[in-house]
Amino acid sequence: MASNPTTVATGSGGPAVDGQRPLRADALRNRARVLQAAEALFAAEGVGVPVDVIAEKAGVGVGTLYRHFPTKEKLYEAILIERIAGFTADARRRLGSENPGQAFFGFLEDLVAQSSLKRDLINAMAGAGVEFEVVAAEAKLALQAAVTDLLVVAQRAGSVRSDVTGPLVLSLIGATCVAADRPGQAASSNEMLAVVCDGLRVTGAGR
Amino acid sequence: MASNPTTVATGSGGPAVDGQRPLRADALRNRARVLQAAEALFAAEGVGVPVDVIAEKAGVGVGTLYRHFPTKEKLYEAILIERIAGFTADARRRLGSENPGQAFFGFLEDLVAQSSLKRDLINAMAGAGVEFEVVAAEAKLALQAAVTDLLVVAQRAGSVRSDVTGPLVLSLIGATCVAADRPGQAASSNEMLAVVCDGLRVTGAGR
Amino acid sequence: MASNPTTVATGSGGPAVDGQRPLRADALRNRARVLQAAEALFAAEGVGVPVDVIAEKAGVGVGTLYRHFPTKEKLYEAILIERIAGFTADARRRLGSENPGQAFFGFLEDLVAQSSLKRDLINAMAGAGVEFEVVAAEAKLALQAAVTDLLVVAQRAGSVRSDVTGPLVLSLIGATCVAADRPGQAASSNEMLAVVCDGLRVTGAGR
Amino acid sequence: MASNPTTVATGSGGPAVDGQRPLRADALRNRARVLQAAEALFAAEGVGVPVDVIAEKAGVGVGTLYRHFPTKEKLYEAILIERIAGFTADARRRLGSENPGQAFFGFLEDLVAQSSLKRDLINAMAGAGVEFEVVAAEAKLALQAAVTDLLVVAQRAGSVRSDVTGPLVLSLIGATCVAADRPGQAASSNEMLAVVCDGLRVTGAGR
DNA sequence: CATGAATGAGAATTCATTCAT
DNA sequence: GATGAATGAATTCTCATTCAT
């Protein structure tokens, strides 16, 4: 269940998922709307947005929101998982590329580019404590696996030095994303990414 | 650094600073206590801590706290400014070093090491919007200047490549700090920093 | 008593009762199920149980529940009426007994014994205000009549003093039931009942 | 602490109680107001009254109410304890009476009479679960002790039969009070009490 | 000046009831 | 008729900020 990233990434609206009986058409639509509204609002105003506001933007009552996500935190989770799954799918897609180095670094660029749009979500993850991590763990592991695959290929091709690991790469990218979203940031995420990528490349110097 | 009340108070309320009349001795002590308590609590529990709790830990009434910091946000600011000033001083101290490269990278290590202890404060800054930045700007500019000085020297010595700027360096370090504080992070701040530093070094490859 | 659905449904919705058209067989069955589930849950968890929970335990949708009982309060009522009717039948059954005193006091024991199992329902009645009483009045009057009959016979036989009335007896028993259900109650309902029964017997003293 | 019933019964407003530093004058007044408003509203409308309403009736903000009673349940408790303490004091006052039987039964009458005015509070106790009982336990034990004292004297004087205990008496009175408050009750609390009291008197018959 | 009591606008969550499927 | 999704008013509780003592 939910272990197939592709399915999960179908994201906001695929019918017949998850072992539960498929949701009714309207329920499905509402769920998607809530997810969409929440994502937008979290991105725009941070995770502080009241649930009422999310519900209103989604055009549903709070009750409906709570029917789908019994807790505000569950809502974070859902969005988070969906996004992670999206990235995982992206990584898998790039796996067959002819130029592994380009595939790898291109993936990182994607990650950073997309994340800049979603201010604060990752911070929300950070703040939400342990339970949270547990639930998102599955999705995260899938992403790690995919990134590691991509990384290993690039390393074999000599485009990335051999002493870095998938998790380290993800941490670095996460850092770049989070930092780039901070207001008043002097450097763009691209500038930062460039340095990080250089650090990841094979180098003769400095080691 | 923050353990010397006098130093702490220097921020924006020390005696005979700032055009305001100098504070009475006890007022000064209270201000320092609040700052210290707030720093500790923000670090330990995040910026969500209620002001009452801070006041209690500081051993003063809320009223007193509010006399010194008319807003919770102003309190963040004060702490922030204080810390930035500390880093600035650190940078200046290293400026005369005989080994500029080591001075520069050592400074970055300090930055990361200390920041890891202060969970959530930087995120708070990030979340607090524009007003916030304005007030802290002065302190930030001072830090940028100091870092830039340190950087330039290192660049002249050939230890850092010439196309990076002080602000970019700060952004990268900020990224590393923020990311490292996220729970469940796979990589340590040191691992991340290592990659970033490699990216900052002079390299023949990849460019 | 409440274990036979047919009996349960007799309350105010059985086939061809009440001037309404007789319910379809499945409707009848659903009504009975709801009643049964509600009785069990009210007894176990108090009247606070959400209707959804009742519906679920009954194996029907909330909508169905509401078709039969247009209000949660109506559901209380129905259960109440059903139980009162059960007691009434019990009283009537005992009316022909050879030992009127024993019949009377035995009936009271039954009342108390059964009520102890139904925590909170009687309290709910109490709290639900006037409307409520109006509807249940019919059932109550029937019970009063039956009890009065039983009482009169016992009084004629000299087993109960002559200055008490049916309603007073019912109030006393009600008191015992309600009180016995209160948690942390020091005395058992039986102990209380014993005193009350002594008070009801013919006595030379104290009057 | 709080073990002296008289002090406790000073009830809503005595200064310098409880080992805590005495409350400020306004705080004390507000606490008393809240208690008074809550008692009135619980009596009039049951324990369902929203806290906002209580606060409004008391003429304070909700925040103030919560400062004094950190939970709605704590508010029940406070009222409850106060009332129990009042009864305890009543019992103690009667202890020196020349006519023990009259003292005992008179006390019971008082209990019933006063309780009729306070609808629902005792039910609230019942519903509030275990924690609740724990806190009120001290007050309850004091009452039990006082009632037992009164009872024993009356038993020695031959006015009450010897096989009843203080807790049983309290349960019986509790039953009468609760029952009498139920709307649509046919019998008055006095009628019920009369029977109960007869049951408590020394009797030759029926045993 | 210091204190901490008072304030009240939210915030998250629940649940009786309605209504589209 | 049955279902369960949708609704949103109501509820309890929190916490930044003000103000009487």
Side-chain angles (χ1 to χ4, degrees), chain A residues 122-123 126 133 161 167-168 171-172 174-175 178-179 182-187 191-192 194-196 198-202 205-207, chain B residues 122-123 126 133 161 167-168 171-172 174-175 178-179 182-183 185-187 191-192 194-196 198-202 205-207:
Chain A
I122 301 208
N123 279 340
E133 292 296 314
R161 52 196 238 204
L168 174 56
S171 286
L172 283 162
V178 172
R182 306 233 303 280
Q185 203 60 24
E191 288 177 286
M192 287 192 265
V195 173
V196 169
D198 278 350
L200 290 172
R201 274 180 234 282
V202 171
R207 289 247 161 188
Chain B
I122 300 208
N123 279 341
E133 293 296 314
R161 48 197 243 203
L168 174 55
S171 286
L172 283 163
V178 173
R182 305 228 305 276
Q185 203 61 24
E191 286 177 288
M192 288 193 264
V195 173
V196 169
D198 277 351
L200 291 172
R201 277 180 232 280
V202 171
R207 289 245 161 186

Side-chain angles (χ1 to χ4, degrees), chain C residues 53-101:
Chain C
V53 175
I54 298 173
E56 193 186 18
K57 165 137 187 172
V60 305
V62 261
T64 303
L65 188 157
Y66 270 88
R67 167 161 297 273
H68 291 290
F69 307 96
T71 279
K72 201 188 184 185
E73 195 149 296
K74 289 288 178 194
L75 183 52
Y76 298 158
E77 258 177 45
I79 292 179
L80 184 66
I81 289 175
E82 177 205 340
R83 296 194 58 217
I84 293 179
F87 290 137
T88 305
D90 188 13
R92 293 258 166 256
R93 256 196 307 279
R94 290 171 177 276
L95 208 51
S97 163
E98 296 171 1
N99 184 337

Side-chain angles (χ1 to χ4, degrees), chain C residues 166-186:
Chain C
L168 174 56
V169 168
L170 280 176
S171 287
L172 283 163
I173 295 308
T176 308
C177 295
V178 172
D181 284 339
R182 306 228 305 276
Q185 204 60 22

